[in-house]
Amino acid sequence: MRGRGASATAFALTIGVVLAGGVALRPVEPARSAAIVDTTPTEDNAASARVAEPVAAASIPTVTVAEVLPTPVAAPTSVVFPEMKHVWQSLNNCGPAAVVMALSTLGVDANQETARLALRGADVRRGMGPQGVGPWVKENFDLRSTWRNGGTIDTIKALVANGFAPMVTQWMQDPWVSRIAHWRTVRGYDDAAGVVYVNDSMLGNMVALPYEWFGRNWQSFSYRYMVIYKPEDEKLLKAIMGPQVSDAVMRRDLYARAKTEALTQNTNFAWLAYGEAAYSYGMFEEAVTAFEKGLSMGSPSGVFGLRSSYPQALRALGRQQDAERAAQQLNSISVVPSSTVVAPPDPYALYLAMLRTIQIEQLPTE
C-alpha cells in the first residue's frame, strides 16, 4: 500500500506542476494506458484468502464481476421516430431547443426558454455545452444524459434503432456558407436514400441530410453526440456505445481516426480536428504541429475548442509565451465571449501524457 500511495502522490505532483504552468511533458516511447489495461484479479488471487486470518483476508482485492449488458436491436435499413416535437429556436438557442426536441420522444413537453436559462444562462451570446444537461434533466425529469466524442453514422443508426434520439454538434451549413456551430436532434435515417433525418431548430422538421454531408460537417466538433435517456435504459446505451464508454478508449480511437483523416484529406478542418484529438489524448507535440498546419491552411473561425486546446497544448510543453500569443490570436474566432480566466488544462490528457513520460515502474515506491 505504500507503493500505491507514493504513486498517487507522484501523479498528483506531476499534474500540479503542469497546472502551475511550468514543466513540459514530452512523450517518450508510448506506454499502454493503465486506464485500459485489464487488472481484474485472477481466481488464484482469490483462492489465497484464509478465513482464519481476517487481517490478511481483508487485504485481498475484490473480484470484479463483468457487467451483463443486453443485446441491442440490429439497425434496420430505415427508422424514423413517428413523434418528435419541432421548435424554432430563439436567439442562439439551438442547444436547449435540441434538448427540448429530444425530451419530447421521452414524453416530456419542456419549454425552450426554461431550458435556455438553465443550460445557457441569461447571456444570449453564450452557447450550450453538454456538461450541464445531465444535472438538469435528472433534477427536473428523473432522466439521465451522457455525451461522447468519436461518433459515426453507425453509432447514430444504432442509437435511433434502439429508441434513443441523439443530438449532435455540427456546422449549421457548409462552413464556406457560414461558420455557425449548431446542435440538431436526429429523428431517423434511411440507408436507401443515404440520409439522416433531423429536427433542426433553424432548418425545419424532418430535414434530410446526406450521410457524407452529415459526417463532413461533424468533423470539426470531434464527432460529438449526446443522448438523454431513462435510468432503466443505461445498460442498453452502454451496450450500444461498447468500448467507447471508456474515456481512455474514446480518446485513443478518436486520436487514431483524426490522424488518419488529416493525412488522407489534408484540409485545414481535418488538421485542426487532429490537433484537438491529439491534445485530448495527451500527445501535445503532435497537437501543436497539427494545429499550426491547420492554421496555415485556412481560417479557424468558428472552431471554438481551438481557443483553449491550442494554448493549453503549448503550456503543457512549457511554452508559456507562445501560449499567451496563441490565446490572443484566437480570442476572436468565435462570437461566444471568452472568459477572462484561463481555462484549466484537460487533467485526463495530462494523465495520459504522464503515463508516456514516467513509466509506471519508475514511480517511487517509498
Side-chain angles (χ1 to χ4, degrees), residues 224-276:
R224 181 173 65 186
Y225 64 97
M226 177 168 59
V227 181
I228 299 173
Y229 60 96
K230 297 177 181 178
E232 58 266 31
D233 291 332
E234 183 166 326
K235 288 187 176 182
L236 176 59
L237 183 58
K238 285 183 177 180
I240 294 169
M241 291 179 170
Q244 299 297 314
V245 169
S246 162
D247 201 35
V249 172
M250 177 189 73
R251 291 173 186 240
R252 180 199 65 193
D253 291 354
L254 180 61
Y255 161 75
R257 174 182 178 183
K259 184 173 184 176
T260 298
E261 290 178 346
L263 293 173
T264 56
Q265 297 173 11
N266 198 32
T267 65
N268 85 304
F269 288 127
W271 281 101
L272 294 176
Y274 171 29
E276 293 281 356

Coordinates of all heavy atoms in Angstrom, one line a residue, residues 224-276:
R224 N -19.0 14.8 -31.9 CA -19.7 14.8 -30.6 C -21.2 14.5 -30.7 O -21.8 15.0 -31.6 CB -19.5 16.1 -29.8 CG -20.1 16.1 -28.4 CD -19.7 17.4 -27.7 NE -20.3 18.6 -28.3 CZ -20.0 19.8 -27.9 NH1 -19.1 20.0 -26.9 NH2 -20.6 20.8 -28.5
Y225 N -21.7 13.6 -29.8 CA -23.1 13.4 -29.7 C -23.5 13.2 -28.3 O -22.7 12.9 -27.4 CB -23.5 12.1 -30.5 CG -22.9 10.8 -30.0 CD1 -23.6 10.0 -29.1 CD2 -21.6 10.4 -30.3 CE1 -23.1 8.8 -28.6 CE2 -21.1 9.2 -29.8 CZ -21.8 8.4 -29.0 OH -21.3 7.2 -28.5
M226 N -24.8 13.5 -28.0 CA -25.3 13.5 -26.6 C -26.6 12.7 -26.7 O -27.4 12.9 -27.6 CB -25.5 14.9 -26.1 CG -26.1 15.0 -24.7 SD -26.0 16.7 -24.0 CE -26.8 17.6 -25.2
V227 N -26.9 12.0 -25.6 CA -28.1 11.2 -25.5 C -28.8 11.4 -24.2 O -28.1 11.4 -23.1 CB -27.8 9.7 -25.7 CG1 -29.1 8.9 -25.6 CG2 -27.1 9.4 -27.0
I228 N -30.0 11.7 -24.2 CA -30.9 11.8 -23.0 C -31.6 10.5 -22.9 O -32.2 10.0 -23.9 CB -31.8 13.0 -23.0 CG1 -31.0 14.3 -23.0 CG2 -32.7 13.0 -21.7 CD1 -31.9 15.5 -23.2
Y229 N -31.7 9.9 -21.7 CA -32.3 8.5 -21.6 C -32.9 8.3 -20.2 O -32.6 9.0 -19.3 CB -31.2 7.4 -21.9 CG -30.0 7.5 -21.0 CD1 -30.0 6.6 -19.9 CD2 -29.0 8.3 -21.1 CE1 -28.9 6.6 -19.0 CE2 -27.9 8.3 -20.3 CZ -27.9 7.5 -19.2 OH -26.8 7.5 -18.3
K230 N -33.7 7.2 -20.2 CA -34.3 6.8 -18.9 C -33.2 6.0 -18.1 O -32.5 5.3 -18.7 CB -35.5 6.0 -19.1 CG -36.7 6.7 -19.8 CD -37.9 5.8 -20.1 CE -39.0 6.6 -20.8 NZ -40.1 5.7 -21.1
P231 N -33.3 6.1 -16.8 CA -32.3 5.3 -16.0 C -32.3 3.8 -16.3 O -31.2 3.2 -16.3 CB -32.7 5.6 -14.5 CG -33.4 6.9 -14.6 CD -34.1 6.9 -15.9
E232 N -33.4 3.3 -16.5 CA -33.5 1.8 -16.8 C -32.9 1.4 -18.2 O -32.7 0.2 -18.4 CB -35.0 1.3 -16.7 CG -35.9 2.0 -17.7 CD -36.6 3.2 -17.1 OE1 -36.1 3.9 -16.2 OE2 -37.8 3.5 -17.5
D233 N -32.6 2.4 -19.0 CA -32.0 2.1 -20.3 C -30.5 2.3 -20.3 O -29.9 2.2 -21.4 CB -32.7 3.0 -21.4 CG -34.1 2.7 -21.7 OD1 -34.5 1.5 -21.5 OD2 -34.9 3.6 -22.1
E234 N -29.9 2.5 -19.2 CA -28.5 2.8 -19.2 C -27.7 1.6 -19.7 O -26.7 1.8 -20.4 CB -28.0 3.2 -17.8 CG -26.6 3.6 -17.7 CD -26.2 4.3 -16.4 OE1 -27.0 5.0 -15.8 OE2 -25.1 4.0 -15.9
K235 N -28.0 0.4 -19.3 CA -27.2 -0.7 -19.8 C -27.3 -0.9 -21.3 O -26.4 -1.3 -22.0 CB -27.7 -2.0 -19.0 CG -27.2 -2.1 -17.6 CD -27.6 -3.4 -16.9 CE -27.0 -3.5 -15.5 NZ -27.3 -4.8 -14.9
L236 N -28.5 -0.7 -21.8 CA -28.7 -0.8 -23.3 C -27.8 0.3 -24.0 O -27.2 0.0 -25.0 CB -30.2 -0.6 -23.6 CG -30.5 -0.6 -25.1 CD1 -30.1 -1.9 -25.8 CD2 -32.0 -0.3 -25.4
L237 N -27.8 1.5 -23.4 CA -27.0 2.5 -24.0 C -25.5 2.1 -24.0 O -24.7 2.3 -24.9 CB -27.2 3.8 -23.3 CG -26.5 5.1 -23.8 CD1 -26.8 5.3 -25.3 CD2 -26.8 6.3 -23.0
K238 N -25.0 1.6 -22.8 CA -23.6 1.1 -22.7 C -23.3 0.0 -23.8 O -22.2 0.0 -24.3 CB -23.4 0.6 -21.3 CG -23.3 1.6 -20.2 CD -22.9 1.0 -18.9 CE -22.7 2.0 -17.8 NZ -22.4 1.3 -16.5
A239 N -24.3 -0.9 -24.0 CA -24.1 -1.9 -25.0 C -23.9 -1.3 -26.4 O -23.1 -1.8 -27.2 CB -25.2 -2.9 -24.9
I240 N -24.6 -0.3 -26.7 CA -24.5 0.3 -28.0 C -23.2 1.1 -28.1 O -22.5 1.0 -29.1 CB -25.7 1.3 -28.2 CG1 -27.0 0.6 -28.3 CG2 -25.5 2.1 -29.5 CD1 -28.2 1.5 -28.3
M241 N -22.8 1.8 -27.1 CA -21.5 2.5 -27.1 C -20.3 1.6 -27.1 O -19.2 1.9 -27.7 CB -21.4 3.5 -25.9 CG -22.4 4.6 -26.0 SD -22.3 5.7 -24.6 CE -23.3 7.1 -25.1
G242 N -20.4 0.4 -26.5 CA -19.3 -0.5 -26.5 C -18.1 0.0 -25.8 O -18.2 0.7 -24.8
P243 N -16.9 -0.2 -26.3 CA -15.7 0.2 -25.6 C -15.6 1.7 -25.5 O -14.8 2.2 -24.7 CB -14.6 -0.3 -26.5 CG -15.2 -1.5 -27.3 CD -16.6 -1.1 -27.5
Q244 N -16.4 2.5 -26.3 CA -16.3 3.9 -26.2 C -16.8 4.5 -24.9 O -16.6 5.7 -24.6 CB -17.1 4.5 -27.4 CG -16.6 4.2 -28.8 CD -15.2 4.7 -29.0 OE1 -14.9 5.8 -28.8 NE2 -14.4 3.8 -29.6
V245 N -17.4 3.7 -24.1 CA -17.8 4.1 -22.8 C -16.6 4.5 -22.0 O -16.6 5.4 -21.1 CB -18.6 3.0 -22.0 CG1 -18.8 3.3 -20.6 CG2 -20.0 2.8 -22.7
S246 N -15.5 3.8 -22.2 CA -14.2 4.2 -21.5 C -13.7 5.5 -22.1 O -13.5 5.6 -23.3 CB -13.2 3.0 -21.7 OG -11.9 3.5 -21.5
D247 N -13.4 6.4 -21.2 CA -12.8 7.7 -21.7 C -11.5 7.5 -22.4 O -11.2 8.1 -23.4 CB -12.7 8.6 -20.5 CG -12.6 10.1 -20.9 OD1 -13.3 10.4 -21.9 OD2 -11.9 10.8 -20.3
A248 N -10.6 6.6 -21.9 CA -9.3 6.3 -22.5 C -9.5 5.7 -23.9 O -8.8 6.1 -24.8 CB -8.5 5.4 -21.6
V249 N -10.4 4.8 -24.0 CA -10.6 4.2 -25.3 C -11.1 5.2 -26.3 O -10.7 5.3 -27.5 CB -11.5 3.0 -25.2 CG1 -11.9 2.4 -26.6 CG2 -10.9 1.9 -24.4
M250 N -12.1 6.0 -25.8 CA -12.7 7.0 -26.7 C -11.6 8.0 -27.2 O -11.6 8.3 -28.4 CB -13.8 7.8 -25.9 CG -14.4 8.9 -26.7 SD -15.5 10.0 -25.7 CE -14.2 10.9 -24.7
R251 N -10.8 8.4 -26.3 CA -9.7 9.4 -26.7 C -8.7 8.7 -27.7 O -8.2 9.3 -28.6 CB -9.0 10.0 -25.5 CG -9.9 10.9 -24.7 CD -9.3 11.2 -23.4 NE -10.1 12.0 -22.5 CZ -9.9 13.2 -22.0 NH1 -8.8 13.9 -22.4 NH2 -10.8 13.9 -21.3
R252 N -8.3 7.5 -27.4 CA -7.4 6.8 -28.2 C -7.9 6.6 -29.6 O -7.2 6.9 -30.6 CB -7.0 5.5 -27.6 CG -6.0 4.6 -28.4 CD -6.1 3.1 -27.9 NE -7.4 2.6 -28.3 CZ -7.9 1.4 -27.8 NH1 -7.1 0.7 -26.9 NH2 -9.0 0.9 -28.2
D253 N -9.1 6.1 -29.7 CA -9.7 5.8 -31.0 C -9.9 7.1 -31.8 O -9.7 7.1 -33.1 CB -11.0 5.1 -30.9 CG -10.8 3.7 -30.3 OD1 -9.6 3.2 -30.2 OD2 -11.8 3.0 -30.1
L254 N -10.4 8.2 -31.2 CA -10.6 9.5 -31.9 C -9.2 10.0 -32.4 O -9.2 10.5 -33.5 CB -11.3 10.5 -31.0 CG -11.5 11.8 -31.6 CD1 -12.5 11.7 -32.8 CD2 -12.1 12.8 -30.6
Y255 N -8.2 9.9 -31.6 CA -6.9 10.3 -32.0 C -6.4 9.6 -33.2 O -6.0 10.2 -34.2 CB -5.9 10.1 -30.8 CG -4.4 10.0 -31.2 CD1 -3.8 11.2 -31.5 CD2 -3.7 8.8 -31.3 CE1 -2.4 11.2 -31.9 CE2 -2.4 8.8 -31.7 CZ -1.7 10.0 -32.0 OH -0.4 9.9 -32.3
A256 N -6.6 8.3 -33.3 CA -6.1 7.5 -34.4 C -7.0 7.8 -35.7 O -6.5 8.0 -36.8 CB -6.3 6.0 -34.1
R257 N -8.3 8.0 -35.5 CA -9.1 8.3 -36.6 C -8.8 9.7 -37.1 O -8.7 9.9 -38.4 CB -10.6 8.3 -36.1 CG -11.6 8.8 -37.1 CD -13.0 8.7 -36.4 NE -14.1 9.2 -37.3 CZ -15.3 9.3 -36.9 NH1 -15.7 8.9 -35.6 NH2 -16.3 9.7 -37.7
A258 N -8.7 10.7 -36.2 CA -8.4 12.1 -36.7 C -7.1 12.2 -37.4 O -6.9 12.9 -38.4 CB -8.5 13.0 -35.5
K259 N -6.1 11.4 -36.9 CA -4.8 11.5 -37.6 C -4.8 10.9 -39.0 O -4.3 11.5 -39.9 CB -3.8 10.6 -36.7 CG -2.3 10.7 -37.3 CD -1.4 10.0 -36.3 CE 0.1 10.1 -36.8 NZ 1.0 9.5 -35.8
T260 N -5.5 9.8 -39.1 CA -5.7 9.2 -40.5 C -6.5 10.2 -41.4 O -6.1 10.4 -42.6 CB -6.5 7.9 -40.4 OG1 -5.7 7.0 -39.6 CG2 -6.8 7.3 -41.7
E261 N -7.5 10.8 -40.9 CA -8.3 11.8 -41.7 C -7.5 13.0 -42.1 O -7.6 13.4 -43.2 CB -9.5 12.2 -41.0 CG -10.6 11.1 -40.8 CD -11.8 11.5 -40.0 OE1 -11.8 12.5 -39.4 OE2 -12.8 10.7 -40.1
A262 N -6.6 13.5 -41.2 CA -5.8 14.6 -41.5 C -4.8 14.3 -42.7 O -4.6 15.0 -43.6 CB -5.0 15.1 -40.3
L263 N -4.2 13.1 -42.6 CA -3.2 12.7 -43.6 C -3.9 12.4 -44.9 O -3.2 12.6 -46.0 CB -2.4 11.5 -43.1 CG -1.5 11.7 -41.8 CD1 -1.0 10.4 -41.3 CD2 -0.4 12.7 -42.2
T264 N -5.1 11.9 -44.9 CA -5.7 11.5 -46.2 C -6.5 12.7 -46.8 O -6.5 12.8 -48.0 CB -6.7 10.3 -46.0 OG1 -7.6 10.6 -45.0 CG2 -5.9 9.1 -45.6
Q265 N -7.2 13.4 -46.0 CA -8.0 14.5 -46.5 C -7.2 15.8 -46.7 O -7.4 16.6 -47.7 CB -9.1 14.8 -45.5 CG -10.1 13.7 -45.4 CD -11.1 14.0 -44.3 OE1 -11.3 15.1 -43.8 NE2 -11.9 12.9 -43.9
N266 N -6.2 16.1 -45.8 CA -5.3 17.2 -46.0 C -6.0 18.5 -46.1 O -5.7 19.4 -47.0 CB -4.3 17.0 -47.1 CG -3.1 17.9 -47.0 OD1 -2.7 18.3 -45.9 ND2 -2.6 18.4 -48.1
T267 N -7.1 18.7 -45.3 CA -7.8 20.0 -45.2 C -7.5 20.7 -43.9 O -7.1 20.1 -43.0 CB -9.3 19.8 -45.4 OG1 -9.8 19.1 -44.2 CG2 -9.6 19.0 -46.6
N268 N -7.7 22.0 -43.9 CA -7.5 22.7 -42.6 C -8.4 22.2 -41.5 O -8.0 22.1 -40.3 CB -7.5 24.2 -42.8 CG -8.9 24.8 -42.7 OD1 -9.8 24.4 -43.4 ND2 -9.1 25.8 -41.8
F269 N -9.6 21.9 -41.8 CA -10.5 21.4 -40.8 C -10.1 20.0 -40.3 O -10.2 19.7 -39.1 CB -12.0 21.2 -41.3 CG -12.6 22.6 -41.5 CD1 -13.2 22.9 -42.8 CD2 -12.7 23.5 -40.5 CE1 -13.8 24.1 -42.9 CE2 -13.3 24.7 -40.7 CZ -13.9 25.0 -41.9
A270 N -9.6 19.1 -41.2 CA -9.1 17.8 -40.7 C -7.9 18.0 -39.8 O -7.7 17.3 -38.8 CB -8.8 17.0 -41.9
W271 N -7.0 18.9 -40.2 CA -5.8 19.1 -39.3 C -6.1 19.7 -38.0 O -5.5 19.3 -37.0 CB -4.7 19.9 -40.1 CG -4.0 19.1 -41.1 CD1 -4.2 19.1 -42.4 CD2 -2.9 18.2 -40.8 NE1 -3.3 18.2 -43.0 CE2 -2.5 17.7 -42.1 CE3 -2.2 17.8 -39.7 CZ2 -1.4 16.8 -42.2 CZ3 -1.2 16.9 -39.8 CH2 -0.8 16.4 -41.0
L272 N -7.1 20.6 -38.0 CA -7.5 21.2 -36.7 C -8.1 20.2 -35.8 O -7.9 20.1 -34.6 CB -8.4 22.4 -36.9 CG -7.7 23.6 -37.6 CD1 -8.8 24.7 -37.8 CD2 -6.6 24.2 -36.8
A273 N -9.0 19.3 -36.4 CA -9.6 18.2 -35.7 C -8.6 17.2 -35.2 O -8.7 16.7 -34.0 CB -10.6 17.5 -36.6
Y274 N -7.5 17.0 -35.9 CA -6.4 16.1 -35.5 C -5.7 16.8 -34.3 O -5.4 16.1 -33.3 CB -5.5 15.9 -36.6 CG -4.2 15.2 -36.3 CD1 -4.0 14.3 -35.3 CD2 -3.0 15.5 -37.1 CE1 -2.8 13.7 -35.0 CE2 -1.8 14.8 -36.8 CZ -1.7 14.0 -35.8 OH -0.5 13.3 -35.5
G275 N -5.5 18.1 -34.3 CA -4.9 18.8 -33.2 C -5.8 18.6 -31.9 O -5.2 18.3 -30.8
E276 N -7.1 18.8 -32.1 CA -8.0 18.6 -30.9 C -7.9 17.2 -30.3 O -7.8 17.0 -29.1 CB -9.4 18.9 -31.3 CG -9.7 20.3 -31.7 CD -9.9 21.2 -30.5 OE1 -9.8 20.7 -29.3 OE2 -10.1 22.4 -30.7

